[in-house]
């Protein structure tokens, strides 16, 4: 009986998994993902920022926010982070400084 090792599995998957792709395909993926993020954030902007009107006793953080804060942040911070997410999503969509704007967009949307 032979046992597949991780190295052997990686070598056998490499030709399929790591084959070269046309740069246009990556650009299409970036544009499609960016358009979705821009659309979502633009349509839901008032809903997302509406949490700033909640009472403090309704604050129940999830995700990374639960590790960082134990009480609601100021309403201006909520609006600011959402605006940064929207602006960076536009920058990601057009490919402007992608190495910087993509992580900023991801973190702002995750917040």
């Amino acid at each position: 009986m032979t046992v597949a090792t991780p190295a052997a599995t990686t070598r056998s998957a490499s030709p399929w998994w790591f084959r070269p792709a046309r740069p246009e395909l990556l650009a299409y993926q970036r544009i499609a993902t960016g358009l979705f993020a821009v659309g979502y954030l633009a349509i839901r902007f008032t809903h997302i920022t509406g949490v700033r009107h909640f009472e403090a006793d309704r604050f129940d953080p999830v995700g990374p926010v639960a590790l960082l804060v134990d009480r609601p942040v100021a309403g201006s911070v909520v609006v600011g982070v959402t605006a940064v997410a929207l602006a960076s999503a536009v920058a990601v969509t057009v490919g402007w400084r992608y190495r910087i704007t993509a992580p900023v967009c991801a973190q702002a949307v995750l917040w």
Side-chain angles (χ1 to χ4, degrees), residues 83-98:
V84 165
L86 183 57
S88 61
V90 170
V92 165
T93 303
V94 298
W96 185 74
R97 301 198 181 208
Y98 186 79

Side-chain angles (χ1 to χ4, degrees), residues 37-82:
V38 168
Y40 177 82
L41 290 168
I43 291 169
R44 306 282 293 173
F45 191 86
T46 55
H47 175 75
I48 294 169
T49 58
V51 300
R52 69 185 187 275
H53 300 298
F54 288 173
E55 298 85 22
D57 59 341
R58 291 184 64 189
F59 182 70
D60 190 18
V62 296
V65 179
L67 301 173
L68 299 173
V69 296
D70 57 349
R71 57 185 169 79
V73 295
S76 58
V77 173
V78 173
V79 173
V81 170
T82 308

Side-chain angles (χ1 to χ4, degrees), residues 8-49:
T9 305
T10 303
R11 277 193 302 275
S12 65
S14 291
W16 176 80
W17 190 256
F18 297 110
R19 67 179 179 229
R22 294 190 341 238
E24 296 85 13
L25 296 177
L26 295 174
Y28 294 147
Q29 181 66 40
R30 173 186 47 82
I31 292 168
T33 304
L35 285 174
F36 175 81
V38 168
Y40 177 82
L41 290 168
I43 291 169
R44 306 282 293 173
F45 191 86
T46 55
H47 175 75
I48 294 169
T49 58

